Amino acid sequence: DAMVIQNPRYQVTQFGKPVTLSCSQTLNHNVMYWYQQKSSQAPKLLFHYYDKDFNNEADTPDNFQSRRPNTSFCFLDIRSPGLGDAAMYLCATSPRQGLARVQYFGPGTRLTVT
Amino acid sequence: QKEVEQNSGPLSVPEGAIASLNCTYSDRGSQSFFWYRQYSGKSPELIMFIYSNGDKEDGRFTAQLNKASQYVSLLIRDSQPSDSATYLCAVNTSGRGGSNYKLTFGKGTLLTVNP
């Protein structure tokens, strides 16, 4: 089945220790997104790729970086995690065609910072 | 700033009743509207989307859109305990190029269906 896969599902890191989260998709979608979601809050868009074009949200901290080496994979790098970065990180994809611009989410990675 | 507003709830309904979830949005240029269901600790799951004024039905779910009033709703008929979750309303933002692919999410409404 075509899907969006995120690894790992749970990640524990220490304060200030770099961490990388990964996302892969078999949907062959052109657009990929990274969201941060904290408890009882709306998903917050960090950045998205339209093909290889990188789009950073204005309020995304510099501590967060992303890479998309090919259509299928996208990575989220947190260079120096702080306690406030503990959250669920969601990857989503969307096809370029179609009026609806539907986004399909992966299962998420729960990040804990100790 | 483009906003999507939802009543945070909790909205509590008895099993078998109709649950009505509401959402308003500020961007008049928005074209597509989405309802996602999110169980606690899980990722959002698409229930349905709508982009034309009126009603769209899919099984027990009906989405209603009124662009003039900037209002979108989701009705869940014959509510089941398994429908208990947070329902996120999302709106496609207007704009050029890459910004046209972004969604603005509401904070969600927590629905509890009591057996």
Side-chain angles (χ1 to χ4, degrees), chain A residues 33 37 57 96 100 103 106, chain B residues 34 36 38 43 100-102:
Chain A
Y33 309 80
Q37 188 179 28
E57 293 302 295
R96 181 168 56 193
Q103 292 188 18
Chain B
F34 306 84
Y36 286 87
Q38 187 172 28
S43 65
N100 197 29
Y101 288 86
K102 298 198 293 187

Side-chain angles (χ1 to χ4, degrees), chain B residues 14-92:
Chain B
E15 183 175 356
I18 297 175
S20 178
L21 304 162
N22 304 315
C23 173
T24 60
Y25 59 94
S26 63
D27 182 5
R28 284 196 170 274
S30 298
Q31 297 182 346
S32 305
F33 308 85
F34 306 84
W35 285 100
Y36 286 87
R37 177 175 63 197
Q38 187 172 28
Y39 293 111
S40 180
K42 303 295 185 182
S43 65
E45 171 192 10
L46 180 71
I47 296 176
M48 62 191 307
F49 64 87
I50 186 169
Y51 50 78
S52 298
N53 275 326
D55 295 358
K56 179 180 179 182
E57 185 175 319
D58 184 0
R60 296 186 296 114
F61 300 95
T62 299
Q64 300 174 318
L65 175 61
N66 184 327
K67 290 185 178 181
S69 300
Q70 295 176 243
Y71 175 91
V72 58
S73 65
L74 180 70
L75 300 178
I76 306 175
R77 290 182 298 281
D78 189 22
S79 295
Q80 302 297 310
S82 58
D83 294 327
S84 299
T86 296
Y87 288 80
L88 298 170
C89 173
V91 176
N92 167 239

Side-chain angles (χ1 to χ4, degrees), chain A residues 78-99:
Chain A
I78 308 176
R79 294 192 295 185
S80 181
L83 297 179
D85 296 327
M88 174 79 89
Y89 289 87
L90 299 164
C91 175
T93 71
S94 181
R96 181 168 56 193
Q97 290 78 20
L99 176 64

